[in-house]
Amino acid sequence: MSIAKQVLRLEFRELSNDDISKVIDLYRSLSTESIYYRFRGFFKDFDNYVRSVFSNPRNKVYGAFLNGELVGVFEAVYISDGCYELAIVVKDRYQGRGIGTRLVAYAFNDLKSRGVKTMVAYTTPDNHRILAISRKFNGNIRCDFGECVVTFNLTTLDTKCFLASPS
């Protein structure tokens, strides 16, 4: 019996307005728990939310695809020059397989090449998945009063080990 994780052959790319319905469908497919962790509360107005993210050309949205299916979304929402807020979600049945880590690496690498210096994430202290990813990417984690703020310095971050293609 093998205990090694199966390496998934994922494709990553920046999403466009043509992908809005795929992102909305992904959000609609999520469990209550995944929605809670992604939005830090219970949320249902995915149509307006996704359209608002895509409506600002400064925002960047990335997707992870497995066999043509959108299985993960990373949003980089513009805060100020060189600084973005991030949010990430992976479809429930694909969580725990390293997709989020690889999607973050892909997005961070692309954003860094575009001159982004700082990424900020807001989460709950019980969101162990994003906190684990934050540690992998040397995020500075501060938790107070039921909220955690994670800051990533992209200028010093090396994502190459997470971007290696499976052989």
Side-chain angles (χ1 to χ4, degrees):
M1 172 166 54
S2 174
I3 58 172
K5 272 188 184 178
Q6 178 185 6
V7 178
L8 300 174
R9 294 197 180 273
L10 297 166
E11 295 178 28
F12 302 99
R13 68 173 170 83
E14 183 176 350
L15 302 180
S16 69
N17 286 336
D18 294 338
D19 298 302
I20 287 174
S21 63
K22 291 176 187 161
V23 176
I24 292 169
D25 289 345
L26 183 144
Y27 280 135
R28 286 183 179 155
S29 77
L30 296 174
S31 67
T32 303
E33 179 181 45
S34 290
I35 292 169
Y36 173 78
Y37 284 133
R38 163 57 192 86
F39 291 98
R40 292 181 295 140
F42 298 102
F43 188 81
K44 293 228 182 255
D45 191 6
F46 304 120
D47 291 53
N48 285 326
Y49 171 75
V50 171
R51 291 181 198 293
S52 73
V53 170
F54 277 91
S55 71
N56 184 339
R58 291 181 175 180
N59 296 340
K60 303 297 175 204
V61 183
Y62 301 90
F65 293 84
L66 180 62
N67 299 322
E69 177 188 2
L70 180 64
V71 297
V73 172
F74 177 105
E75 298 168 18
V77 176
Y78 178 83
I79 296 174
S80 63
D81 287 347
C83 183
Y84 283 74
E85 179 180 344
L86 77 88
I88 184 170
V89 70
V90 173
K91 277 189 170 184
D92 291 87
R93 71 177 182 260
Y94 296 104
Q95 292 177 8
R97 298 185 188 186
I99 294 170
T101 298
R102 291 173 59 196
L103 180 56
V104 168
Y106 178 85
F108 278 4
N109 191 55
D110 185 66
L111 291 162
K112 182 177 177 179
S113 74
R114 296 173 187 241
V116 175
K117 294 175 178 33
T118 305
M119 297 292 302
V120 179
Y122 299 93
T123 190
T124 56
D126 60 338
N127 188 341
H128 65 280
R129 291 186 193 274
I130 191 62
L131 292 173
I133 287 174
S134 298
R135 288 182 196 95
K136 286 179 188 178
F137 290 95
N138 299 319
N140 178 10
I141 303 169
R142 288 187 346 256
C143 297
D144 294 315
F145 307 109
E147 179 177 70
C148 295
V149 179
V150 184
T151 307
F152 300 90
N153 179 352
L154 298 192
T155 61
T156 60
L157 191 59
D158 183 8
T159 59
K160 289 183 188 102
C161 65
F162 299 107
L163 291 172
S165 298
S167 46

